[in-house]
Amino acid sequence: HEKRPLVVLTITSPENHDRLQQIQQQHLTLSDPSKSAMQSLEQMPVVAYMGYSIHGNEASGSNAAPLVAYWLAAAQGEQVEGLLREAVVLLDPSYNPDGLSRFTHWANMHRGRQLVADPAHREHTEAWPQGRFNHYWFDLNRDWLLVQHPESQGRLEVFHAWKPNVLTDHHEMQSHRTFFFQPGIPSRNNPLTPARTFELTAQIAEYHAAALDQLGSLYYTKESYDDFYVGKGSTYPDINGTIGILFEQASVRGHLQQNPHGERTFAFAVRNQVATSLSTLAAVRQLRVELLTHQRDFYTTALTEAGD
């Protein structure tokens, strides 16, 4: 609404870029039961959509995105080169650029030369309407199904042009918590979502746990957050053959804030978002065939369920 660009980076190997349209069209056949059985999955690249900060004042996600993009573009060695051979990464650095700009202005306007960690400091207590919302004060994480706003329309156009195998949704939560990644509360899953979706989510979660263990960052899973309303970014993918993954980092809501675990810096929050972005990509590569198989099976079994 405020005329900021909506940007998606398409990151893969040079060889894949040369045949990107062919890869895209081949990938889309997995959602067509009349064609998917004829496709060999052994050499097919997997597709990951990495999305950040749909709530603009949850800014560690969007500030992690350039670091993830840089790693994918500049890192060397088999870990990254193998990933780019076997995957197409769609990187959306800011789901909500208007809200992110509003929050950034607030946090930078009210910081001091000496940072203040007190949660009651003005830097940490935004005035209404805050940066959570877009220009029209709409929560874009309720708009995946309704698709009323240009940010959602652009995002969903890219989503359905590719139908990714995994989509990440990087958020922040209350400052007194640590870090959350899905699975969420098992009793709050949408009953229309196949069990295999949650099994793959749990497998991918092991990669996040290992990455955060390596950093010494605290985290939890299965204790909060639902996977029920299909208008949210972690659930809409689930009913489209994709694995949607919600991440929630304890928010600093500025540059430095005290919480029950000590003083937490914005850089600390960004680091956790980068780590779980890279752990997602590691999982996507290792589980490539399983994810492609799930997508093919999802659309085939959907016809059977509809018939019943």
Side-chain angles (χ1 to χ4, degrees):
H1 293 297
E2 297 178 9
K3 307 302 180 184
R4 291 183 175 84
L6 297 167
V7 179
V8 175
L9 309 180
T10 304
I11 308 173
T12 189
S13 68
E15 296 77 15
N16 287 344
H17 267 297
D18 289 342
R19 59 185 189 97
L20 195 62
Q21 189 172 6
Q22 176 189 347
I23 291 174
Q24 183 179 13
Q25 293 305 313
Q26 184 185 37
H27 185 80
L28 289 174
T29 62
L30 294 181
S31 59
D32 183 350
S34 68
K35 300 177 181 178
S36 60
M38 298 178 285
Q39 293 293 337
S40 171
L41 306 182
E42 293 304 317
Q43 302 301 320
M44 184 182 292
V46 66
V47 180
Y49 192 127
M50 314 295 289
Y52 299 88
S53 298
I54 201 164
H55 296 141
N57 61 358
E58 300 174 5
S60 61
S62 284
N63 281 268
L67 299 173
V68 176
Y70 178 76
W71 183 81
L72 289 167
Q76 298 178 339
E78 174 56 27
Q79 181 183 0
V80 64
E81 291 166 11
L83 169 69
L84 296 179
R85 283 195 307 270
E86 298 174 24
V88 175
V89 179
L90 307 170
L91 192 145
D92 190 330
S94 178
Y95 279 150
N96 179 7
D98 292 350
L100 178 67
S101 177
R102 189 183 310 125
F103 169 73
T104 301
H105 178 71
W106 178 275
N108 288 327
M109 180 171 65
H110 293 294
R111 65 170 289 176
R113 180 179 296 176
Q114 303 302 322
L115 298 180
V116 179
D118 186 342
H121 187 267
R122 185 170 174 83
E123 178 187 354
H124 307 304
T125 53
E126 290 174 87
W128 178 262
Q130 306 179 338
R132 177 182 178 89
F133 311 109
N134 77 342
H135 175 84
Y136 281 107
W137 307 353
F138 194 88
D139 186 336
L140 293 172
N141 199 40
R142 306 298 185 269
D143 198 35
W144 286 79
L145 191 63
L146 307 175
V147 201
Q148 296 300 296
H149 292 268
E151 301 93 336
S152 308
Q153 292 161 11
R155 183 174 67 251
L156 269 295
E157 182 178 341
V158 175
F159 179 93
H160 287 290
W162 275 98
K163 296 200 185 298
N165 298 101
V166 171
L167 182 143
T168 62
D169 189 19
H170 292 261
H171 287 250
E172 291 180 356
M173 57 183 168
Q174 295 94 331
S175 298
H176 66 276
R177 296 186 178 182
T178 56
F179 192 94
F180 168 85
F181 52 82
Q182 283 180 316
I185 299 174
S187 62
R188 294 173 65 185
N189 291 334
N190 192 298
L192 294 179
T193 304
R196 182 60 175 154
T197 300
F198 301 117
E199 293 170 2
L200 286 167
T201 301
Q203 284 184 257
I204 295 171
E206 295 177 9
Y207 290 78
H208 309 321
L212 294 173
D213 283 345
Q214 190 172 8
L215 293 178
S217 291
L218 299 174
Y219 58 86
Y220 69 98
T221 187
K222 293 187 178 180
E223 295 178 21
S224 58
Y225 295 102
D226 71 272
D227 217 354
F228 186 85
Y229 171 52
V230 296
K232 289 184 177 180
S234 61
T235 311
Y236 181 87
D238 291 344
I239 61 160
N240 283 278
T242 304
I243 307 299
I245 302 176
L246 171 67
F247 296 108
E248 295 276 358
Q249 163 66 43
S251 182
V252 180
R253 284 291 190 271
H255 298 83
L256 178 72
Q257 188 171 162
Q258 182 77 28
N259 74 12
H261 307 284
E263 287 189 347
R264 288 291 179 257
T265 66
F266 186 57
F268 174 89
V270 170
R271 184 183 68 165
N272 285 340
Q273 301 277 26
V274 171
T276 49
S277 296
L278 300 186
S279 64
T280 300
L281 294 174
V284 162
R285 184 187 180 192
Q286 292 295 320
L287 301 174
R288 179 180 60 85
V289 175
E290 289 93 328
L291 291 165
L292 293 168
T293 300
H294 168 68
Q295 188 171 47
R296 180 174 63 186
D297 293 347
F298 177 91
Y299 283 96
T300 302
T301 57
L303 294 178
T304 305
E305 288 193 34
D308 291 342

